[in-house]
Amino acid sequence: MNAPLKDQMHSSAVQAEGMSLNRQMIEFDLLEIARALRRRVKVIAGIAAGLTAIVMITVFQMTPRYTAHALVLLDPERTQVVDFTAVMSGLPADSATTDSQVEVMSSRSIARRVVEKLNLIEDEEFNAELAKTSLLSWLDPREWMASLFEADAELTPERRQEMAMDAVIDSFVDAERIRRRGMTYIIDVNFTSRDPLKAAKIANAIAETYVLDQLEAKFNATRQANEWLSQRLEGLRQQVSDSERAVELYRTQNGLQSSRGSTITEQQLSELNAQLILARADRAEKQAKYSRARQILGSGGSIESVVDVLQSKTISDLRQQQAELASKKADLSTKYGPRHPAIVNIEAQRRDLQAQISAEVRRIVDSIANEAAIADTRVKALESSLKELQDTQGQHGQAEVKLRELEREAAANKAVYESFLNRFKETSQQQDLQTADARVISEAVPPVAPSFPQKGIVFGISAVISLIAGVGVALLLERLDNGVQTGSQLEEILSLPHLVSVPVIPAETGENGKPMLPHEYLLRKPLSAYAEALRSLRSALSLSSVDNPPKVVLFTSALPNEGKTTTAVSFARAAAQSGQRVLLVDCDLRHPSVHRALRMKQPKEGLVECLAGRAGFGDVVVKDAPSGLDFIPVASGAANPPDVLGSAQMRRILREAREAYDLVVLDTAPVLPVSDSRVLAQIADKTIFVVRWNETPREAASGAVKELRAFDADIAGAILTVVDTARQAQYGYGGAGYYYGRYSRYYSN
């Protein structure tokens, strides 16, 4: 297998091992928490039940309150009878407007109107001054502060009334709750009161007051608009009149009167131009006729070809007469000769007619010349008049600039006036047609069930919170628990082997009517768990050194009252009952207790007397009749116990005891208070360190073991005493007590 593959497999194995360890740690933590809660189940149950009971008692003492609901709909699509939106339009359809209307409905102004309408200042629910004073109110510091301020302040009756009204409004606002339903235009009006009828009445009053407030706001807006427009119209009307008067006056002063949309000068210029054009055309025509006639006369041609001559009736009549004379002459010439008088007379008439025709032609030519001259004079006169009018028109043009400015000003003033006049008419019509932008879609009805306190919900919440509090206290107590509960904890804390856990004995009465002591129970119940624990301890000591089993065994503990003496006596009795020769020595010279444990009187001679040489070894040994155990009591104390116990005499006594007995048990003083046990531990074969289950502080036990090691004590191990096996099982693995329920039938209790 190549190296990279090996590294990869090794890495995978390490990761798997780490994951497994993490799972075990998590599982251990969860199990440990579960066991801790199980151990403190009474604390949890007590706290949960107590807190829940307190909360429920408090809840049942509370005054029930009822909440009534009214629904108001904002209608942003309000129908308008007339098109008038500038003065008071409907509400825009947006979320901000709806939220703003919620704030308006929640305002103190609406609250004040409802309070005044329903005269709630006379209601003791809202006016605290009308409420009956209870004894508990004197315990409220707010009452003291209020009384102090009222005593120092000099208030007028009006100010007191206003303060009372403000207080009522504050209570009213606290009791109402107005909110928007989701993203709709519906506003939920809630009011809470002690009386369900009152709650419904006030909720409806809030909704109605809000709708009325909207109408009044619109009426006030239109009324103010009408008043302002009316005042403005008066000024605009006078302004229009003055501007129009100024236009007419300026027009008159400058001769700018107009007719059919133009000034008189402009009309005259137009007419003169038209006349001049016609006059020039007429002059050209007549001059052409005159020039043609003169040309014909100058060339000797027949003037009769001129149109005017041809069209002359006189000449036509004369020509007719000539034709008749010619016809008559032709008739007479066939009969008479040229000198006949009739023919001569006809010739004379013909000459006279020709003369008349020539005179008439000359008159026509003179008339044409005269008409041409007149036409020319007329043209010149028209041109002169036109020039004068053009000069006048130039002057009028400069005046018209100012006139147009005055006309524009007058037109603008008139337009503004007409606009305001139309708006005034619209507002006058709209004032009578205002409708609210909101309406009540659901009136409040008296509630049946109280909204506060909701006992079921409060009970559930209080139970959960109380349970959480109980669990918290239990975990805190568990955290503060400084005792040793299991053998594994004992080994971890002291770094010593756990030899055995000595269970607590059942409470039984002995033959003397007194409570049975553990070493008495040992003799009464040799097959009990307590006896078995002591036998297990002897076996553990024997196996600690198979080739050289310990003979002198010292029992000590960190502090007093940890079961050290009881365990030593029980251990010695158990060994004696098994047939061994056992000597129990009470080495606690300060507080001897072995003789009391064995229910014996204070001896006259004991260990101190033997060490001092005042008594022999055999004189101080006392026999325990029930078990056959020998023990040396303490009859009197010593001035310096450590020196006495560490003396050569003590070593001599122990040597004699080794030779005479199979087992020597030393019951000593605690390690931490005094140094007696440390001295004896140096000369004992083995030291057994006693720790009381769930009582001995861990720091004390660890410190005591440290002191013993400092004196080179040979510590065989540690034992747990007074173990409650049932409770120890709740701490989980780590001791035989965890499985006590499975093998308890093997013991005789």
Side-chain angles (χ1 to χ4, degrees):
M1 186 178 295
N2 54 18
L5 183 58
K6 290 182 178 179
D7 293 341
Q8 184 176 2
M9 292 178 64
H10 177 70
S11 177
S12 300
V14 171
Q15 292 179 359
E17 183 179 358
M19 294 175 62
S20 176
L21 180 60
N22 291 336
R23 285 196 298 268
Q24 291 177 2
M25 292 178 64
I26 295 174
E27 181 180 2
F28 172 76
D29 291 340
L30 294 177
L31 290 176
E32 186 62 30
I33 292 174
R35 296 188 190 105
L37 297 180
R38 181 183 175 187
R39 289 192 295 270
R40 307 288 180 175
V41 64
K42 293 182 179 179
V43 175
I44 297 173
I47 293 176
L51 291 180
T52 303
I54 292 173
V55 171
M56 294 310 298
I57 291 173
T58 305
V59 167
F60 278 100
Q61 295 297 322
M62 292 180 177
T63 302
R65 294 183 175 275
Y66 299 84
T67 300
H69 305 267
L71 298 180
V72 177
L73 172 65
L74 297 181
D75 188 6
E77 299 179 357
R78 181 174 61 89
T79 303
Q80 302 241 1
V81 180
V82 295
D83 185 13
F84 175 58
T85 60
V87 176
M88 180 54 68
S89 61
L91 293 174
D94 55 22
S95 180
T97 301
T98 305
D99 294 336
S100 300
Q101 294 304 308
V102 171
E103 295 300 323
V104 170
M105 196 179 299
S106 306
S107 64
R108 292 179 65 87
S109 60
I110 298 294
R112 176 181 286 273
R113 294 184 62 176
V114 176
V115 168
E116 293 175 349
K117 177 181 178 181
L118 301 179
N119 194 26
L120 297 181
I121 196 171
E122 300 297 332
D123 192 332
E124 66 177 13
E125 181 178 352
F126 301 97
N127 193 345
E129 296 180 357
L130 300 179
K132 296 180 180 179
T133 304
S134 62
L135 295 177
L136 295 178
S137 63
W138 294 102
L139 301 177
D140 191 351
R142 294 177 297 178
E143 296 290 336
W144 304 345
M145 299 297 294
S147 61
L148 290 177
F149 285 119
E150 289 178 0
D152 295 339
E154 296 181 359
L155 302 176
T156 62
E158 292 78 9
R159 178 55 182 163
R160 289 182 179 275
Q161 182 69 16
E162 185 62 26
M163 291 178 63
M165 176 60 74
D166 290 339
V168 171
I169 293 175
D170 290 338
S171 300
F172 183 91
V173 172
D174 292 339
E176 72 176 356
R177 183 171 178 265
I178 301 173
R179 61 181 179 84
R180 177 184 181 186
R181 282 199 171 181
M183 297 303 294
T184 66
Y185 296 111
I186 297 177
I187 299 177
D188 192 353
V189 181
N190 302 330
F191 195 86
T192 304
S193 174
R194 303 173 189 168
D195 185 359
L197 296 176
K198 186 192 300 182
K201 181 179 180 181
I202 295 177
N204 291 327
I206 293 173
E208 294 169 359
T209 303
Y210 168 72
V211 175
L212 181 61
D213 181 75
Q214 273 201 343
L215 285 175
E216 290 179 353
K218 291 192 174 186
F219 279 124
N220 291 334
T222 53
R223 179 177 55 80
Q224 292 175 2
N226 283 338
E227 292 177 356
W228 183 81
L229 288 173
S230 178
Q231 296 174 0
R232 185 63 178 149
L233 281 174
E234 292 296 329
L236 290 175
R237 187 181 294 111
Q238 184 63 37
Q239 190 175 359
V240 170
S241 178
D242 293 342
S243 60
E244 289 181 346
R245 188 178 296 109
V247 170
E248 295 302 325
L249 180 62
Y250 187 83
R251 193 192 301 275
T252 302
Q253 290 176 351
N254 292 274
L256 299 176
Q257 290 82 2
S258 61
S259 176
R260 295 187 299 274
S262 60
T263 62
I264 295 176
T265 303
E266 290 176 345
Q267 293 179 4
Q268 290 176 351
L269 280 174
S270 178
E271 291 176 358
L272 282 178
N273 279 323
Q275 292 177 9
L276 180 60
I277 292 171
L278 295 175
R280 286 175 178 173
D282 183 62
R283 184 184 68 176
E285 180 183 358
K286 290 180 178 180
Q287 285 181 350
K289 287 182 181 180
Y290 179 67
S291 297
R292 178 62 180 167
R294 290 183 59 188
Q295 183 180 6
I296 293 173
L297 290 176
S299 61
S302 176
I303 195 62
E304 293 181 358
S305 60
V306 177
V307 176
D308 290 345
V309 174
L310 293 175
Q311 294 177 350
S312 175
K313 189 174 184 305
T314 301
I315 293 177
S316 178
D317 292 340
L318 292 175
R319 293 290 186 191
Q320 182 66 31
Q321 291 177 11
Q322 281 183 342
E324 290 177 355
L325 289 176
S327 176
K328 188 176 179 180
K329 180 181 176 180
D331 291 338
L332 290 176
S333 293
T334 58
K335 295 177 179 182
Y336 305 106
R339 296 190 178 275
H340 187 275
I343 294 174
V344 172
N345 187 29
I346 290 172
E347 287 291 337
Q349 290 180 355
R350 289 182 60 186
R351 287 193 295 273
D352 185 53
L353 289 172
Q354 186 63 39
Q356 291 181 6
I357 290 172
S358 298
E360 183 64 23
V361 169
R362 287 195 296 273
R363 188 188 64 78
I364 290 174
V365 172
D366 291 339
S367 177
I368 291 173
N370 187 40
E371 288 179 356
I374 291 172
D376 183 62
T377 302
R378 184 185 177 194
V379 168
K380 291 179 179 179
L382 289 174
E383 289 178 347
S384 177
S385 298
L386 182 62
K387 186 175 183 305
E388 292 178 358
L389 284 176
Q390 288 176 344
D391 294 339
T392 302
Q393 179 65 20
Q395 298 175 357
H396 286 179
Q398 296 179 359
E400 284 181 351
V401 174
K402 178 65 175 178
L403 177 63
R404 285 192 293 271
E405 181 179 353
L406 293 175
E407 288 177 341
R408 285 194 297 270
E409 182 178 358
N413 292 337
K414 184 177 181 181
V416 173
Y417 172 74
E418 290 177 349
S419 175
F420 273 77
L421 182 61
N422 292 332
R423 185 60 55 83
F424 176 73
K425 292 179 179 179
E426 290 175 351
T427 55
S428 299
Q429 296 175 357
Q430 188 76 6
Q431 187 172 4
D432 297 332
L433 296 173
Q434 289 294 342
T435 59
D437 293 319
R439 57 190 177 92
V440 180
I441 60 174
S442 177
E443 292 186 349
V445 296
V448 178
S451 59
F452 176 85
Q454 297 182 357
K455 298 177 182 177
I457 296 177
V458 172
F459 175 76
I461 294 176
S462 62
V464 172
I465 295 176
S466 300
L467 185 60
I468 293 174
V471 170
V473 172
L475 294 177
L476 178 62
L477 293 176
E478 192 69 20
R479 184 67 176 176
L480 296 177
D481 189 355
N482 198 26
V484 181
Q485 292 82 22
T486 64
S488 59
Q489 290 180 354
L490 187 67
E491 292 179 349
E492 181 181 358
I493 295 168
L494 303 181
S495 299
L496 291 174
H498 170 236
L499 300 178
V500 72
S501 293
V502 181
V504 65
I505 66 171
E508 293 187 11
T509 305
E511 297 177 355
N512 54 5
K514 296 181 179 180
M516 188 178 298
L517 298 176
H519 46 271
E520 295 174 343
Y521 181 81
L522 172 69
L523 300 178
R524 178 74 63 85
K525 303 287 186 178
L527 298 179
S528 63
Y530 184 78
E532 185 62 31
L534 295 173
R535 284 192 288 270
S536 298
L537 178 58
R538 286 195 297 111
S539 299
L541 285 174
S542 299
L543 294 175
S544 64
S545 179
V546 178
D547 296 333
N548 187 19
K551 277 193 172 185
V552 180
V553 179
L554 182 145
F555 283 82
T556 188
S557 63
L559 300 171
N561 301 321
E562 294 188 352
K564 166 181 58 61
T565 299
T566 301
T567 305
V569 173
S570 298
F571 177 75
R573 272 192 165 183
Q577 193 177 23
S578 66
Q580 287 185 320
R581 293 174 298 164
V582 181
L583 175 65
L584 173 62
V585 182
D586 190 353
C587 298
D588 190 352
L589 304 183
R590 304 172 191 268
H591 298 283
S593 58
V594 173
H595 64 282
R596 288 193 297 270
L598 295 175
R599 301 186 186 275
M600 293 183 180
K601 297 181 180 181
Q602 180 75 27
K604 295 180 180 181
E605 295 179 344
L607 179 62
V608 175
E609 286 74 18
C610 182
L611 293 175
R614 295 193 295 269
F617 181 80
D619 297 334
V620 296
V621 175
V622 180
K623 178 67 72 174
D624 176 35
S627 63
L629 169 69
D630 292 341
F631 78 96
I632 300 176
V634 175
S636 61
N640 192 357
D643 294 339
V644 172
L645 295 175
S647 64
Q649 292 295 329
M650 185 66 185
R651 295 176 184 271
R652 180 184 61 80
I653 292 175
L654 290 180
R655 283 197 301 270
E656 293 180 2
R658 285 175 186 272
E659 296 175 358
Y661 294 94
D662 298 326
L663 178 65
V664 179
V665 179
L666 304 181
D667 178 32
T668 63
V671 175
L672 294 180
V674 293
S675 60
D676 303 1
S677 300
R678 307 172 202 171
V679 174
L680 284 174
Q682 294 177 326
I683 59 179
D685 294 340
K686 292 292 183 178
T687 298
I688 297 178
F689 189 75
V690 177
V691 176
R692 182 158 184 166
W693 180 80
N694 208 28
E695 290 289 338
T696 304
R698 299 180 182 181
E699 294 80 5
S702 178
V705 171
K706 184 177 180 182
E707 293 291 338
L708 291 174
R709 285 174 176 164
F711 280 79
D712 296 328
D714 187 358
I715 306 175
I719 64 173
L720 288 175
T721 61
V722 198
V723 177
D724 187 342
T725 53
R727 289 183 57 194
Q728 188 187 41
Q730 299 174 359
Y731 287 89
Y733 305 101
Y738 182 76
Y739 305 100
Y740 181 76
R742 300 186 183 182
Y743 56 72
S744 59
R745 64 178 180 270
Y746 285 93
Y747 303 130
S748 175
N749 293 327

